[in-house]
Amino acid sequence: NAGVTQTPKFQVLKTGQSMTLQCAQDMNHNSMYWYRQDPGMGLRLIYYSASEGTTDKGEVPNGYNVSRLNKREFSLRLESAAPSQTSVYFCASRPGQEETQYFGPGTRLLVL
Amino acid sequence: GENVEQHPSTLSVQEGDSAVIKCTYSDSASNYFPWYKQELGKRPQLIIDIRSNVGEKKDQRIAVTLNKTAKHFSLHITETQPEDSAVYFCAASLGGTASKLTFGTGTRLQVTL
C-alpha cells in the first residue's frame, strides 16, 4: 500500500505557464482533497471531491481547476501560473466511513 | 463558513514539561476536531481526534479536551520529548459526505533539552 502519492515532488514554473499536479490513492477512499500550505496560514482547501464524479470548490479555488479522473486519481491544474500560487500543495483522501484525512507527501511549487 | 483560530503560534518548553495548544471555532455545528503533527518537510499526520459527543480523549502522552459551549478545544502533551518538536495544526469539520476540514494556522512547538 503506497497510500497517497503525489507527482511531481518539486516544480519551477514561469508566470503564465500551465501544469497539472497529480494525486493518486490506493486505499479505495471515496473523498479526495487539494490543499495549499503557505507560511503562517495553515492549510487551505482549494477543491475537493466527495465521491467519484463530483467536485466542489473549497476556500481558495480561484486560478485552479480539478479533475476526478476515477476513484483513485484527483488532479489539480493551474492554467496560467502566477507568483501568488507559489506554495506547497497537499493532496488528501478519506474513506467514506470515517472522518480521518490521509495526506500525500506534497508538491513544492515555485512560480517565478 | 467555519473559522478556526489557534494559539500560540510558537511555544518553547523544556523536555519533560507539558505543552498546551488552544483552538477556537466559530460554527457550533462542527462535530469533528482532529489534530495533525507536521515535521519539517513532511506531510501532516493525524495524532488524535475528538468528536462532539465526547469531552476528552487520551492517547498515552497526548490528550484533547473539547468545550462545546465555549467552542474551544485544546491539545495537551505531557512529558514532552525532543521528538515532539514540530508544527501542530488543529482543525474542525461539519462532517457529512464532504467532511471538509478548516485548519488553524499552526503552532510551532520546540522542546529544548
Side-chain angles (χ1 to χ4, degrees), chain A residues 4 31 33 35 37 40-43 45 48 50 57 90 94 99-105 108, chain B residues 31-32 36 38 41-44 46 49 51 89 93 95-101 103-105:
Chain A
V4 181
S31 302
Y33 307 82
Y35 295 90
Q37 184 174 35
M41 300 192 73
L43 292 108
L45 182 64
Y48 66 99
K57 295 178 181 179
F90 286 99
R94 182 182 71 89
E99 304 280 358
T100 305
Q101 291 188 20
Y102 298 86
F103 284 80
R108 192 171 296 271
Chain B
N31 58 21
Y32 174 66
Y36 282 83
Q38 186 178 31
K42 304 286 189 184
R43 74 190 79 189
L46 180 78
D49 57 12
R51 284 163 178 76
F89 292 96
S93 169
T97 307
S99 196
K100 296 181 290 180
L101 290 175
F103 282 86
T105 50

Side-chain angles (χ1 to χ4, degrees), chain B residues 29-50:
Chain B
S30 288
N31 58 21
Y32 174 66
F33 307 92
W35 286 89
Y36 282 83
K37 175 183 180 182
Q38 186 178 31
E39 296 174 352
L40 191 62
K42 304 286 189 184
R43 74 190 79 189
Q45 294 202 296
L46 180 78
I47 54 170
I48 195 166
D49 57 12
I50 192 167

